[in-house]
């Protein structure tokens, strides 16, 4: 649907009782009535380091952030009812930047106080840079990288923000005069904590009869009402100050103009480092918060957004709010939930909210001076409490209970310590450093998780066999000499650190095994360093005169291409590549058997009937009888002996060439055909369909130029009636064949069980 058609449809829904437009208007206006104090409060947090009369501008800028960010994000392509605005984490990041800037005397005026035009110019530049970074991330489709930040890192940061947020509210919780700090506790207005507790309690758990009013608004209104009731009594002096609302003025677009006046002074050059660090931290936190809020909104609306498009929209919003000197913004779960609960459903609710919020500030700001600072502090403590996620609470409870029994889960303890580390840095050092440390911890955890032991298991050919069913004599030889085949099963990502460990193990095996099969099936990735180490391994194996077989690497595989691109010296010239482990192991077995029998190839000889499983142990007379009932057939390589679903009207034995049993994939599923087993010359196949009188369960395909003998159902039944002794010997041979298959399967399962 075009934008014009969408607008026409939206306007048309105004005339329907449950139209989308009516819901968007209701949701946007409700959120605009509930959130002004919250939005402005974020501005107070951001500018708290300034004098009270200077910090008051933060209230206007906080509210302007939410209004303008929502409107711009919709225009820039954001979809759905997700509302944007600042947050405690973003406000505190801006507060840390302001603290850094005002520590430089060049940002102070003649009166020794911060020079607001220059200060706002540089904070505006930082927010604009953050928006530009978000736009670049969206254009490069890298926004999803924030999802790789481990959850304990994010939880630690948000928990630290919650503590810092409460710490910033302590002077207001105590009812201290504006501009005071917690050190002035002796000036406490002792009824202010009561007002704060009322706001906090109702914001966290409002009575059921107020369910139509958002809890934060309920707490704020109730605490304000109590404050004014008590102000009419002799206790008025113990209530603490009310909010000093600034005069409203529309933000200008020339906020960054003072930067041009200081280009020659070197101030911008000196501050570009902190600004870029701040911008990167804001871009990361805004992107992460937007992703989390978007995920929640998608679940509530059952509509999936384009995450890269939303990131682009939020980046454009931050560029816009930066130009007016406002706070950085992000998508918000809290705002969006209020909007949704009141009826908002489409992106137009963003515009309704933004316009309604700006109008509420323009024409209702004077009424906000009635709100006591203790009530605002109580509501913000409720917001801080909501930042502590359920995982932190449940993990704390589990670790507390289990620590008494000395049985705390190691993995949970590790995650919890990471959370405490990031939270501690956030509280006691700085927010920006906490994000940097959190990112570093994320990288370390990622490397550690991918640096697990690179070799899952090492098996040998006497215990681990291919799915090729061979005559008993060959099976016995492989059982006796199979240790000359080593199967190295790699696991995880193969980069420099893990590849070095694998290289040491494989080079050690090269001293004892002759055929080394390296299985890449479980390898998730191979980088250039890992490929280089693998090539050193290949050189060592070749220098030792041994044979290297690489399994699980098809020619089109990206891992194969990386290895081939690094092989400039053709160290893998003698190595053999196979699409799966079974093919590689079968080839190693064939080569080993060929070396033991001094044959040039395992399949060159055409067997006689008495050399096959069907004729084993029979007398010359019985061989003649059986041969008279068999029909010889020849198949070219790739030709089908029988198809799945064909009647089981015969059993076969190969005199020359191997037969593969394949399960064909459904073309609609996009899967691949799978070879279940391969039968070497001399082995009977197709007997189950004949004996059970059932249709074929898979395809039988000639893997070489093949000669087979066919025993039809008619001749088999003649054999049962006319030659019962011969029939009994044939059944005994088939039983031994089945027993050997079971034994091979048992050996393979034992190997797997040892790994687990």
């Amino acid at each position: 649907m075009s934008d014009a058609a969408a607008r026409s449809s939206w306007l048309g829904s105004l005339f329907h009782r449950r139209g989308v437009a009516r819901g968007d208007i209701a949701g946007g206006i409700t959120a605009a009535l509930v959130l002004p104090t919250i939005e402005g409060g974020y501005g107070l947090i951001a500018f708290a380091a300034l004098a009270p009369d200077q910090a008051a501008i933060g209230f206007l800028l906080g509210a302007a952030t939410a209004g303008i960010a929502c409107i711009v994000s919709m225009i820039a392509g954001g979809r759905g009812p997700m509302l944007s605005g600042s947050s405690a984490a973003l406000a505190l990041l801006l507060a840390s930047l302001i603290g850094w800037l005002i520590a430089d005397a060049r940002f102070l005026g003649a009166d020794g106080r911060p020079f607001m035009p220059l200060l706002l110019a540089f904070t505006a530049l930082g927010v604009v840079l953050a928006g530009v970074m978000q736009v670049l991330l969206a254009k490069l489709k890298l926004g999803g990288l924030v999802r790789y930040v481990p959850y304990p890192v994010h939880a630690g940061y948000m928990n630290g923000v919650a503590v810092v947020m409460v710490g910033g509210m302590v002077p207001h919780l105590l009812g201290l005069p504006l501009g005071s700090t917690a050190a002035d506790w002796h000036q406490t207005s002792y009824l202010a904590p009561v007002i704060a507790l009322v706001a906090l309690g109702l914001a966290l758990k409002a009575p059921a009869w107020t369910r139509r009013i958002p809890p934060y608004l309920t707490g704020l209104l109730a605490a304000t009402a109590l404050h004014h009731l008590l102000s009419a009594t002799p206790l008025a002096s113990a209530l603490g100050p009310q909010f000093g609302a600034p005069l409203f003025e529309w933000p200008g677009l020339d906020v960054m103009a003072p930067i041009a006046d200081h280009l020659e002074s070197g101030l911008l050059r000196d501050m570009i480092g902190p600004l870029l660090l701040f911008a990167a931290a804001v871009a990361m936190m805004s992107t992460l918060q937007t992703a989390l809020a978007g995920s929640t909104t998608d679940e509530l609306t059952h509509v999936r957004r384009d995450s890269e498009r939303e990131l682009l929209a939020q980046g454009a919003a931050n560029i816009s709010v930066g130009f007016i000197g406002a706070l950085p913004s992000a998508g918000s779960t809290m705002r969006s939930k209020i909007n949704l609960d009141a009826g908002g459903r489409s992106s137009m609710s963003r515009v309704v909210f933004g316009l309604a919020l700006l109008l509420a500030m323009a024409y209702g700001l004077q009424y906000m001076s009635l709100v006591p600072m203790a009530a605002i502090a109580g509501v913000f403590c409720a917001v801080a409490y909501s930042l502590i996620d359920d995982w932190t609470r449940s993990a704390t409870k589990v670790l507390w209970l289990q620590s008494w029994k000395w049985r705390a889960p190691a993995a949970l303890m590790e995650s919890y310590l990471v959370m405490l580390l990031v939270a501690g840095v956030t509280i006691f050092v700085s927010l920006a450093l906490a994000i940097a440390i959190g990112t570093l911890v994320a990288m370390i955890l990622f490397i550690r998780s991918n640096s697990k032991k690179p070799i899952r298991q090492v098996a040998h050919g006497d215990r681990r066999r291919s799915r090729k069913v061979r005559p008993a004599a060959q099976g016995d030889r492989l059982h006796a000499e199979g240790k000359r085949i080593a199967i190295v099963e790699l696991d995880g990502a193969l980069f420099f650190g893990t590849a070095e460990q694998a290289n040491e193990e494989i080079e050690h095996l090269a001293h004892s095994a002759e055929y080394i099969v390296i299985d890449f099936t479980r390898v998730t990735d191979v980088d250039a360093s890992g490929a280089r180490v693998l090539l050193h391994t290949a050189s060592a194996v070749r220098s030792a005169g041994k044979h290297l077989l690489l399994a699980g690497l098809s020619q089109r595989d990206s891992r194969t291409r990386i290895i081939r691109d690094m092989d400039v010296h053709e160290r893998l010239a003698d190595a053999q590549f196979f699409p799966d482990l079974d093919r590689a192991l079968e080839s190693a077995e064939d080569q080993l058997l060929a070396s033991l029998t001094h044959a040039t190839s395992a399949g060159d000889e055409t067997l006689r009937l008495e050399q096959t499983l069907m004729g084993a142990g029979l007398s010359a007379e019985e061989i003649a009888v059986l041969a008279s009932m068999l029909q010889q057939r020849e198949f070219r390589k790739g030709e089908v002996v029988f198809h799945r679903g064909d009647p089981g009207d015969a059993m076969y034995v190969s005199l020359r060439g191997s037969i593969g049993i394949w399960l064909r994939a459904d073309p609609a599923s996009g899967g691949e055909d799978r070879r279940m087993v391969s039968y070497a010359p001399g082995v009977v196949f197709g007997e189950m369909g004949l004996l059970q009188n059932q249709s074929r369960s898979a395809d039988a395909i000639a893997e070489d130029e093949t000669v087979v003998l066919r025993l039809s159902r008619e001749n088999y039944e003649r054999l049962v009636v006319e030659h019962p002794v011969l029939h009994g010997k044939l059944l005994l041979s088939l039983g031994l064949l089945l027993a050997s298959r079971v034994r091979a399967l048992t050996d393979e399962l034992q190997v797997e069980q040892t790994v687990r």
Side-chain angles (χ1 to χ4, degrees):
M1 183 184 294
S2 66
D3 290 342
R7 286 193 296 271
S8 176
S9 175
W10 187 85
L11 291 172
S13 67
L14 278 171
F15 302 100
H16 297 283
R17 183 178 178 182
R18 296 186 179 181
V20 174
R22 291 192 177 192
D24 288 343
I25 292 173
I29 291 177
T30 300
L33 293 176
V34 171
L35 294 172
T37 307
I38 302 293
E39 306 296 355
Y42 289 133
L44 293 178
I45 293 174
F47 290 86
L50 307 179
D53 60 325
Q54 292 178 316
I57 192 176
F59 191 91
L60 294 176
L61 293 175
T65 297
I68 294 174
C70 284
I71 295 172
V72 172
S73 68
M74 186 271 180
I75 296 173
R79 293 295 176 261
M82 184 174 70
L83 301 184
S84 302
S86 194
S87 66
L90 294 173
L92 287 168
L93 277 174
L94 185 59
S96 66
L97 176 63
I98 291 174
W100 181 283
L101 295 177
I102 62 177
D104 191 313
R106 289 174 288 183
F107 285 92
L108 303 180
D111 57 358
R113 289 162 30 111
F115 183 56
M116 290 302 295
L118 185 60
L119 181 65
L120 288 177
F122 274 80
T123 59
L125 178 58
V127 175
V128 169
L129 289 174
V132 171
M133 288 182 182
Q134 285 183 285
V135 170
L136 291 175
L137 286 174
K139 289 294 186 181
L140 297 173
K141 299 188 180 302
L142 297 176
L145 290 177
V146 297
R147 299 172 187 168
Y148 292 97
V149 176
Y151 190 78
V153 173
H154 177 253
Y157 181 78
M158 297 309 295
N159 293 337
V161 165
V163 174
V164 173
M165 190 173 172
V166 172
M169 290 292 111
V170 167
H172 305 309
L173 291 170
L174 298 177
L176 301 180
L178 295 177
S180 302
T181 65
D184 303 316
W185 61 269
H186 55 278
Q187 302 181 47
T188 298
S189 300
Y190 64 87
L191 286 180
V194 176
I195 301 297
L197 285 174
V198 170
L200 173 63
L202 292 176
L204 292 177
K205 191 176 177 75
W209 56 270
T210 65
R211 62 181 179 275
R212 292 186 177 275
I213 306 174
Y216 292 153
L217 182 59
T218 299
L220 190 67
L221 293 176
T224 300
L226 178 61
H227 174 94
H228 287 287
L229 285 174
L230 294 175
S231 66
T233 71
L235 301 174
S237 60
L239 289 172
Q242 295 174 200
F243 173 61
L247 294 175
F248 179 80
E249 57 179 299
W250 292 103
L253 297 176
D254 58 347
V255 174
M256 289 195 292
I259 294 178
D261 300 331
H262 291 77
L263 290 177
E264 296 182 359
S265 68
L267 182 59
L268 179 60
R269 182 189 65 245
D270 296 342
M271 291 298 161
I272 194 64
L275 285 176
L276 289 174
L277 178 61
F278 164 78
V282 167
M284 177 180 175
M285 181 53 58
S286 175
T287 301
L288 184 57
Q289 290 185 353
T290 299
L292 293 173
S295 176
T296 302
T297 305
D298 289 349
E299 291 178 8
L300 294 173
T301 60
H302 307 292
V303 176
R304 188 172 183 82
R305 300 163 305 107
D306 183 336
S307 58
E308 299 295 346
R309 183 174 181 176
E310 188 64 56
L311 176 58
L312 179 65
Q314 295 297 330
N318 273 326
I319 293 173
S320 300
V321 298
F323 271 112
I324 64 170
L327 281 66
S329 70
S332 164
T333 300
M334 176 191 70
R335 297 179 183 88
S336 303
K337 186 68 164 56
I338 295 173
N339 182 27
L340 281 164
D341 289 345
R345 285 295 178 270
S346 79
S347 53
M348 286 299 295
S349 62
R350 304 189 191 200
V351 177
V352 174
F353 167 74
L355 293 175
L357 179 61
L358 294 176
L359 291 174
M361 294 296 296
Y363 298 103
L365 188 59
Q366 64 272 25
Y367 301 109
M368 295 180 191
S369 60
L370 299 173
V371 181
M373 290 302 300
I376 295 176
V379 171
F380 264 86
C381 286
V383 174
Y385 179 79
S386 70
L387 295 178
I388 301 175
D389 63 302
D390 293 335
W391 175 82
T392 298
R393 296 169 190 165
S394 62
T396 302
K397 181 179 180 180
V398 169
L399 290 175
W400 173 257
L401 294 175
Q402 294 296 324
S403 61
W404 290 102
K405 305 175 184 178
W406 298 95
R407 292 188 304 183
L412 180 61
M413 177 64 77
E414 178 185 88
S415 298
Y416 198 79
L417 290 176
V418 170
M419 182 275 293
L420 289 178
L421 170 65
V422 178
V425 175
T426 302
I427 297 168
F428 298 108
V429 186
S430 75
L431 295 167
L433 182 60
I435 289 183
I437 289 178
T439 303
L440 178 62
V441 169
M443 294 171 60
I444 293 173
L445 292 177
F446 175 80
I447 293 173
R448 178 183 172 186
S449 66
N450 286 280
S451 296
K452 60 184 178 181
K453 189 176 180 180
I455 297 181
R456 181 172 180 264
Q457 67 170 326
V458 176
H460 290 84
D462 59 335
R463 299 288 305 279
R464 184 77 176 268
R465 299 272 289 277
S466 73
R467 292 195 181 97
K468 188 163 189 176
V469 181
R470 304 176 184 275
Q474 292 185 2
D476 291 341
R477 286 194 174 187
L478 289 175
H479 186 72
E481 303 290 340
K483 283 190 175 294
R484 294 161 67 177
I485 300 175
I487 304 103
V488 182
E489 187 176 338
L490 302 180
D491 193 13
L494 193 65
F495 56 99
F496 184 78
T498 58
E500 284 286 359
Q501 298 177 50
N503 176 51
E504 293 176 5
E505 181 72 24
I506 295 169
E507 287 192 7
H508 176 72
L509 288 172
H511 296 296
S512 57
E514 294 183 18
Y515 303 90
I516 300 175
V517 181
I518 304 179
D519 183 15
F520 283 79
T521 304
R522 291 177 176 266
V523 173
T524 56
D525 190 25
V526 178
D527 71 354
S529 298
R532 184 177 178 83
V533 172
L534 177 65
L535 295 174
H536 283 298
T537 303
S539 294
V541 172
R542 185 169 61 178
S543 298
K546 307 303 173 64
H547 305 278
L548 183 64
L549 300 89
L550 305 180
L553 292 175
S554 66
Q555 294 299 325
R556 294 180 295 177
D557 195 309
S558 60
R559 299 168 299 172
T560 306
R561 289 197 295 270
I562 291 176
I563 296 171
R564 290 289 194 190
D565 290 342
M566 294 295 297
D567 190 17
V568 294
H569 299 296
E570 296 187 350
R571 299 175 182 177
L572 294 176
D574 298 330
Q576 303 170 64
F577 287 76
F578 299 87
D580 54 56
L581 175 60
D582 184 57
R583 304 288 187 85
L585 190 50
E586 178 185 323
S587 177
E589 292 171 349
D590 288 342
Q591 294 178 60
L592 176 58
L593 288 171
S595 67
L596 293 173
T597 57
H598 306 290
T600 57
S601 174
D604 284 348
E605 179 186 0
T606 301
L607 302 179
R608 300 185 304 275
L609 177 57
E610 57 269 24
Q611 294 175 301
T612 69
L613 185 144
M614 188 178 287
L618 301 182
S619 64
E621 187 176 315
E622 289 171 327
I623 288 290
V625 171
L626 183 58
S628 67
M629 297 184 179
L630 297 173
Q631 298 172 310
Q632 181 171 309
R633 292 190 176 182
E634 297 183 3
F635 295 92
R636 295 187 299 275
K637 182 178 180 179
E639 193 172 352
V640 177
V641 180
F642 54 74
H643 289 94
R644 179 179 182 180
D646 287 350
D649 57 358
M651 73 170 71
Y652 301 83
V653 62
S654 173
L655 300 181
R656 177 189 178 93
S658 298
I659 301 293
I661 304 300
W662 289 77
L663 280 179
R664 297 296 189 184
D666 183 358
S669 68
E672 296 183 353
D673 296 344
R674 182 181 179 187
R675 191 182 75 161
M676 303 301 296
V677 69
S678 176
Y679 292 105
V683 178
V684 173
F685 64 94
E687 76 283 358
M688 299 304 295
L690 177 66
L691 297 177
Q692 294 179 333
N693 196 23
Q694 293 181 353
S695 59
R696 304 298 186 186
S697 58
D699 294 353
I701 301 175
E703 297 181 340
D704 312 289
E705 297 295 325
T706 305
V707 177
V708 303
L709 296 176
R710 180 178 185 271
L711 178 62
S712 67
R713 175 173 299 281
E714 179 183 356
N715 286 336
Y716 176 77
E717 292 174 351
R718 278 183 52 207
L719 187 67
V720 172
V721 175
E722 299 176 6
H723 304 280
V725 175
L726 177 57
H727 174 250
K729 291 183 178 181
L730 180 59
L731 290 181
L732 177 61
S733 297
L734 294 177
L736 293 174
L737 172 64
L738 294 176
S740 67
R741 294 181 191 174
V742 172
R743 185 177 68 176
L745 178 59
T746 301
D747 288 344
E748 186 171 342
L749 290 175
Q750 285 179 343
V751 171
E752 289 294 322
Q753 188 66 30
T754 302
V755 175
R756 295 192 185 97

